[in-house]
Amino acid sequence: NSLSTDDRRRQIREIFRVFDPEDRGVCEEREVATIVFALGLDPSLEELLEIVDDIEGEEPSKVGEYDKVEKVVLGVLQSDLTRRDPEDLRLRAFRTLDKQNRGYLTEEEVREFMLNYGEVCTGEELDLFLGSAMDAETREVKYE
């Protein structure tokens, strides 16, 4: 990756702020994985647990302090951890969920998947997603 360390720090800060809107300098431990994935990294579960463990340090907590998150994630970005193509990953995910191979998911299907499987999201978060991703007329989320 050709990004400078300062560019990487800015990128980490931008993503971190999504989970720290009050700018307290902390995020929930469970959000660390989302931050790592949002940076385009594709760690194995073992690597991800190691990243979280490195952020926790000597005092396990449910909170990730920004300075620790930045330090550990910068190290990961400079390592040879596999990067993924986010577009390809999204397409594969949609195809997996679209059992009829229609090229879209209905609003009901998206709600079912997002509220009951994987990373739990709130109704408000889901509404924000659907507001930007769903076709208002057909009520479908097209991915192809």
Side-chain angles (χ1 to χ4, degrees):
N1 194 329
S2 62
L3 289 178
S4 71
T5 300
D6 286 341
D7 288 338
R8 287 180 173 166
R9 279 192 171 102
R10 276 191 286 280
Q11 193 178 35
I12 293 166
R13 172 60 79 181
E14 284 177 25
I15 294 169
F16 191 89
R17 281 189 178 138
V18 171
F19 303 104
D20 183 26
E22 295 162 6
D23 204 25
R24 297 175 307 147
V26 295
C27 72
E28 292 184 37
E29 178 186 278
R30 66 186 173 89
E31 304 299 357
V32 171
T34 307
I35 292 168
V36 169
F37 291 125
L39 289 164
L41 299 171
D42 191 22
S44 66
L45 178 58
E46 183 178 316
E47 290 167 325
L48 191 56
L49 292 173
E50 190 174 316
I51 290 168
V52 170
D53 190 49
D54 288 347
I55 290 169
E56 282 184 341
E58 296 298 313
E59 296 183 33
S61 69
K62 295 294 180 199
V63 174
E65 295 177 15
Y66 178 77
D67 292 339
K68 287 182 180 179
V69 171
E70 180 187 80
K71 180 181 176 187
V72 171
V73 172
L74 269 176
V76 171
L77 285 168
Q78 293 168 347
S79 74
D80 61 351
L81 189 63
T82 307
R83 289 185 125 345
R84 62 180 161 77
D85 177 357
E87 196 64 34
D88 180 56
L89 189 61
R90 280 190 291 270
L91 188 57
R92 286 192 349 230
F94 273 109
R95 285 181 178 155
T96 299
L97 298 174
D98 180 12
K99 301 294 184 200
Q100 292 83 29
N101 297 316
R102 300 168 298 193
Y104 66 87
L105 296 173
T106 65
E107 177 182 6
E108 296 78 29
E109 290 169 330
V110 172
R111 284 190 182 281
E112 170 73 16
F113 296 133
M114 298 287 287
L115 293 174
N116 297 310
Y117 302 99
E119 179 93 18
V120 178
C121 70
T122 66
E124 183 179 328
E125 290 168 328
L126 180 56
D127 289 342
L128 283 171
F129 168 75
L130 286 171
S132 64
M134 184 175 60
D135 180 292
E137 290 179 28
T138 64
R139 313 293 290 171
E140 299 166 345
V141 176
K142 295 182 168 92
Y143 64 88
E144 296 210 84

